[in-house]
């Protein structure tokens, strides 16, 4: 499948470049090719909430003991936060060494500000609304007042996770005979969703073909890309280093070959690159981690949905680089204290970032405001944000898979799961 996806991506880029040379090409791609990409993403998003609901309820209820859940939860969240801090530090180190903002000329800066002023204003307005809420509003928002309303929007993943956790805990606490029919229902429901994933993935090569062709058509001019080349290089270098960190983590803590790990999750990475959405990629990540990395379903169904919501290492690294880049472009000199503040703010902002395309841009406004950087500078990076969004989503998904492997190794080594599953993970 990953070779088919790669071929689809390559053909999409080739067709986009070819049709961009004709006056009628862009409208043809938007009218006759883009819809297939939209259908593919919609199909993946369609099963995101049911997948989280079924897999998380099944995973939590199978733990048998609340102490197992609390230990796994603490280990998962702690590891996610730690990797996010590492990602932000890598981003700050690189952007201060390379100084990509120095390569932006005044003419290019004014051109970008003019071209993307409307998009920047929209994101600033959204961020202002979020900043005006109370300090505990984020915690309040986790608890939905209506589950059906929360399940109707993929941006409310934390609320769906909260509901699923509550149901799973309830199944642990009630008598086994009473819980059995409910658990059997969700077991069967989970199997149906997993089979739906297999069906949808048959269309993945066509879907990514359409998505990449559309991306090429909608990309800004090559002149703007050249002006932002050093910025993109800095972000991508940081993301590659973060991928290396995951490989080292997997090797030292699970003794699995990094090559074997990345080969196992390659289709999920390619899909993340095509869709720019951790939530849309979640079904495939779940399948690759359980069936190809040997992570028990009980662990994957807890760690991966949580990771798709709060673990945004690629996003946090990008926010750190983007904030300092914009400051450099405006000639601002950020102090050490300000950059330490960026580490804290970017970490918290990435946790609250929705697992959908473009959400990191809204959270970046908060990071810029904390550091005293002009929010209008968002317009400087809009032109190249979409390709970088695709790259950082790959890192987000890779981080989820790596942490699930680490948590599985730690939990399984303590004899929490069946011997057959332990042997599978060790293999």
């Amino acid at each position: 499948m990953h070779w088919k996806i790669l071929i689809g991506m390559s053909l999409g880029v080739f067709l986009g470049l070819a049709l961009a040379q004709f006056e009628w090409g862009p409208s043809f791609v938007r009218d006759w090719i883009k819809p297939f990409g939209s259908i593919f993403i919609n199909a993946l998003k369609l099963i995101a909430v049911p997948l989280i609901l079924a897999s998380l309820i099944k995973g939590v209820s199978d733990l048998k003991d609340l102490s197992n859940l609390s230990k796994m939860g603490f280990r998962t969240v702690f590891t996610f936060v730690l990797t996010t801090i590492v990602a932000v530090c890598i981003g700050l180190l690189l952007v201060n060494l390379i100084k990509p903002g120095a390569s932006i000329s005044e003419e290019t800066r004014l051109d970008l500000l003019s071209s993307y002023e409307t998009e920047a204003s929209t994101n600033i307005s959204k961020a202002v609304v979020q900043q005006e809420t109370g300090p505990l509003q984020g915690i309040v928002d986790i608890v939905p007042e209506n589950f059906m309303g929360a399940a109707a929007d993929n941006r409310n993943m934390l609320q769906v996770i909260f509901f699923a956790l509550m149901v799973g805990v309830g199944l642990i606490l009630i008598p086994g005979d009473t819980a059995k029919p409910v658990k059997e229902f969700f077991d069967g429901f989970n199997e149906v969703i997993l089979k739906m994933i297999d069906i949808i993935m048959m269309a993945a090569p066509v879907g990514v073909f359409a998505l990449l062709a559309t991306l090429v058509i909608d990309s800004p001019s090559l002149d703007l890309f050249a002006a932002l080349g050093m910025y993109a290089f800095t972000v991508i270098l940081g993301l590659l280093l973060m991928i290396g960190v995951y490989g080292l983590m997997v090797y030292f803590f699970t003794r699995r070959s990094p090559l074997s790990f990345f080969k196992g999750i390659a289709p999920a990475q390619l899909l993340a690159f095509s869709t720019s959405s951790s939530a849309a990629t979640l079904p495939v990540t779940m399948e690759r981690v359980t069936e190809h990395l040997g992570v028990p379903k009980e662990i994957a169904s807890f760690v991966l949905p949580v990771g798709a919501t709060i673990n945004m290492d690629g996003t946090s690294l990008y926010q750190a680089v983007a904030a300092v880049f914009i400051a450099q472009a405006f000639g601002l000199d950020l102090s050490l204290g300000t950059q330490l503040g960026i580490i804290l703010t970017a970490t918290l902002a990435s946790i609250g970032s929705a697992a959908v395309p473009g959400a990191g841009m809204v959270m970046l406004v908060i990071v810029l405001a904390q550091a005293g950087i002009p929010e209008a500078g968002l317009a400087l990076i809009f032109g190249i944000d979409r390709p970088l969004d695709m790259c950082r989503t790959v890192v987000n998904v890779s981080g989820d898979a790596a942490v699930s492997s680490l948590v599985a190794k730690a939990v399984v080594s303590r004899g929490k799961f069946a011997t057959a599953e332990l042997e599978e993970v060790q293999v």
Side-chain angles (χ1 to χ4, degrees):
M1 176 59 71
H2 68 277
W3 286 113
K4 292 180 180 179
I5 293 175
L6 274 174
I7 292 172
M9 293 169 64
S10 302
L11 291 177
V13 171
F14 175 77
L15 181 68
L17 291 173
L19 293 181
Q21 310 305 315
F22 301 96
E23 184 176 348
W24 52 267
S27 60
F28 177 83
V29 171
R30 296 187 185 101
D31 292 340
W32 296 99
I33 296 178
K34 182 179 180 180
F36 293 100
S38 300
I39 291 171
F40 178 62
I41 291 183
N42 288 344
L44 288 171
K45 290 182 178 179
L46 171 68
I47 59 174
V49 169
L51 175 65
I52 289 177
L53 191 64
S55 63
L56 200 51
I57 290 176
K58 180 183 184 304
V60 172
S61 61
D62 285 345
L63 291 176
K64 310 294 184 184
D65 189 342
L66 287 181
S67 63
N68 291 344
L69 176 62
S70 61
K71 291 176 183 177
M72 188 191 304
F74 174 78
R75 186 177 288 111
T76 299
V77 174
F78 175 80
T79 309
F80 280 151
V81 172
L82 187 62
T83 57
T84 300
I85 292 174
V86 170
V88 178
C89 291
I90 289 176
L92 287 177
L93 177 63
L94 290 177
V95 75
N96 281 283
L97 289 175
I98 298 175
K99 299 186 183 301
S103 63
I104 297 292
S105 67
E106 182 67 22
E107 181 181 357
T108 302
R109 182 187 301 125
L110 293 175
D111 187 14
L112 289 168
L113 286 172
S114 174
S115 300
Y116 296 99
E117 183 178 4
T118 302
E119 290 90 339
S121 300
T122 300
N123 284 280
I124 291 170
S125 300
K126 291 179 181 179
V128 168
V129 172
Q130 185 158 346
Q131 285 178 297
E132 290 176 350
T133 59
L136 298 181
Q137 188 60 41
I139 298 177
V140 174
D141 291 340
I142 292 176
V143 184
E145 61 181 25
N146 184 306
F147 169 71
M148 299 304 294
D153 189 346
N154 279 351
R155 294 177 181 270
N156 296 328
M157 287 298 187
L158 271 179
Q159 296 183 348
V160 176
I161 289 174
F162 176 83
F163 177 81
L165 285 174
M166 293 294 290
V167 174
V169 169
L171 289 173
I172 293 176
L173 296 178
I174 64 177
D177 292 340
T178 307
K180 184 177 179 181
V182 181
K183 291 181 63 176
E184 288 179 345
F185 166 77
F186 281 107
D187 286 351
F189 185 49
N190 190 50
E191 290 300 321
V192 172
I193 297 299
L194 293 177
K195 184 53 64 176
M196 289 177 64
I197 295 172
D198 292 339
I199 296 172
I200 293 171
M201 283 305 295
M202 293 173 63
V206 176
V208 299
F209 163 79
L211 290 170
L212 266 293
T214 305
L215 174 67
V216 171
I217 288 294
D218 291 339
S219 295
S221 67
L222 294 178
D223 290 341
L224 296 184
F225 271 127
L228 297 173
M230 289 303 295
Y231 163 71
F233 170 77
T234 305
V235 174
I236 293 174
L237 178 59
L239 296 177
L240 289 174
L241 289 176
M242 201 61 207
I243 289 288
V245 169
Y246 295 143
L248 292 175
M249 288 169 55
V250 169
Y251 176 74
F252 285 112
F253 290 99
T254 71
R255 291 302 172 185
R256 175 185 287 274
S257 162
L259 182 61
S260 170
F261 169 76
F262 289 118
K263 182 179 179 181
I265 64 168
Q269 290 177 315
L270 292 172
L271 193 60
F273 182 80
S274 302
T275 63
S276 298
S277 172
S278 300
T281 311
L282 180 59
V284 181
T285 309
M286 190 91 68
E287 184 265 341
R288 301 303 300 185
V289 164
T290 54
E291 297 187 14
H292 298 269
L293 297 185
V295 175
K297 291 183 179 179
E298 292 87 346
I299 295 176
S301 7
F302 174 81
V303 176
L304 292 178
V306 173
T309 308
I310 71 170
N311 183 44
M312 301 286 177
D313 294 344
T315 301
S316 59
L317 187 149
Y318 137 82
Q319 288 173 343
V321 174
V324 178
F325 168 77
I326 292 172
Q328 292 172 350
F330 280 104
L332 301 177
D333 187 18
L334 300 182
S335 66
L336 177 61
T338 301
Q339 297 203 32
L340 290 176
I342 290 177
I343 294 177
L344 177 61
T345 310
T347 300
L348 296 177
S350 67
I351 291 174
S353 181
V356 293
M361 187 65 75
V362 178
M363 305 310 296
L364 176 58
V365 177
I366 297 177
V367 177
L368 295 176
Q370 180 277 330
I373 302 168
E375 291 92 337
L378 279 178
L380 296 175
I381 60 175
F382 258 112
I384 203 169
D385 182 68
R386 178 66 181 186
L388 293 181
D389 193 6
M390 299 164 71
C391 295
R392 61 184 184 252
T393 305
V394 174
V395 173
N396 293 342
V397 169
S398 302
D400 296 343
V403 172
S404 69
S405 296
L406 267 62
V407 173
K409 181 65 176 180
V411 173
V412 172
S413 64
R414 288 166 174 76
K416 301 297 183 184
F417 296 99
T419 304
E421 289 177 324
L422 183 144
E423 291 174 351
E424 184 182 5
V425 172
Q426 288 178 336
V427 171

